[in-house]
Amino acid sequence: MTSRHFFYLLFWLAAQALLACHALAADTARSFAQVWRISGSVSAAVAEPAVARGLRVGDTVYVGERLQAATNGEAVLRMDDGGYLAVRPGAQFVVDDFAADQSGSDRFSLRLLQGGLRLITGWVAKLNPRGYRVSTPSATIGVRGTDHEAYFLTDTLAQTLSQKSGTYDRVVSGQTYVETRDGSVDVAPGQVGFVRAPPPPR
């Protein structure tokens, strides 16, 4: 075996080990959704830094994975409580906690890091609405059984769209509330709640 072949063998073995570690981490995590539809590039990674896996129809998505859609990427996830989550191009988010046992202790906690999601809630929001949370760097969104679109526009995204940076929540049906340390505001169908992004650290 030449030194070049030996190098390629080592590289291949290292890559396989990284992928195996990723698969093991995902297998031991809790599922929260399956990919129902997808177009373009949407990936999931367990931790930073990590080997990201490109998602395909039928793949399971796990609690703790960071999902990222490319500028051409979109996906619809069918959550394990019967709800749906549509991933918009450029979105990044992490589901930190999820339990769907059809009990009052069911819960759903999602951190939206940037971009937009459309969420049609399942039974978690009906059985335990206080246990349903979508958080962004500037606000927390709660629901009362609903269909809503949550966005967090970073400064870069906001400048591209000629909008203000911050948290937006548009209600299609049902009702949500947008909450900060200063209080909360109810958002009715057809309305959009907004909270400015926090100022950059000095």
Side-chain angles (χ1 to χ4, degrees):
M1 178 182 294
T2 66
S3 59
R4 176 177 293 182
H5 288 151
F6 182 70
F7 171 78
Y8 285 135
L9 177 61
L10 285 179
F11 179 81
W12 183 83
L13 289 173
Q16 294 302 308
L18 283 172
L19 289 173
C21 289
H22 184 282
L24 179 61
D27 285 344
T28 57
R30 286 172 290 150
S31 162
F32 87 90
Q34 285 73 43
V35 179
W36 189 47
R37 293 179 181 171
I38 196 165
S39 65
S41 175
V42 182
S43 63
V46 172
E48 294 289 349
V51 177
R53 60 188 178 104
L55 295 176
R56 298 176 294 179
V57 171
D59 281 354
T60 298
V61 184
Y62 299 92
V63 173
E65 288 191 301
R66 180 185 180 121
L67 270 70
Q68 180 167 348
T71 54
N72 71 335
E74 293 184 276
V76 178
L77 310 181
R78 190 178 191 282
M79 296 189 291
D80 293 352
D81 70 339
Y84 289 88
L85 190 160
V87 184
R88 304 306 192 194
Q92 294 182 35
F93 69 97
V94 178
V95 171
D96 289 317
D97 195 13
F98 182 80
D101 302 317
Q102 299 192 24
S103 71
S105 62
D106 284 357
R107 57 198 180 275
F108 174 71
S109 176
L110 180 149
R111 273 184 298 130
L112 178 57
L113 305 173
Q114 75 169 41
L117 305 172
R118 181 172 181 176
L119 301 107
I120 300 175
T121 59
W123 71 66
V124 169
K126 295 179 176 65
L127 294 177
N128 185 22
R130 290 186 175 276
Y132 180 104
R133 289 289 183 272
V134 175
S135 63
T136 75
S138 66
T140 299
I141 301 166
V143 303
R144 297 180 175 89
T146 190
D147 176 352
H148 69 117
E149 294 186 83
Y151 291 84
F152 181 73
L153 299 187
T154 61
D155 289 339
T156 302
L157 284 173
Q159 289 173 7
T160 302
L161 299 172
S162 299
Q163 299 289 336
K164 296 178 181 178
S165 59
T167 300
Y168 294 79
D169 190 54
R170 184 178 78 89
V171 175
V172 179
S173 64
Q175 186 176 13
T176 70
Y177 56 93
V178 180
E179 189 173 52
T180 68
R181 289 178 296 179
D182 299 322
S184 66
V185 175
D186 289 341
V187 186
Q191 295 182 338
V192 179
F194 171 71
V195 177
R196 286 182 180 274
R202 293 182 179 180

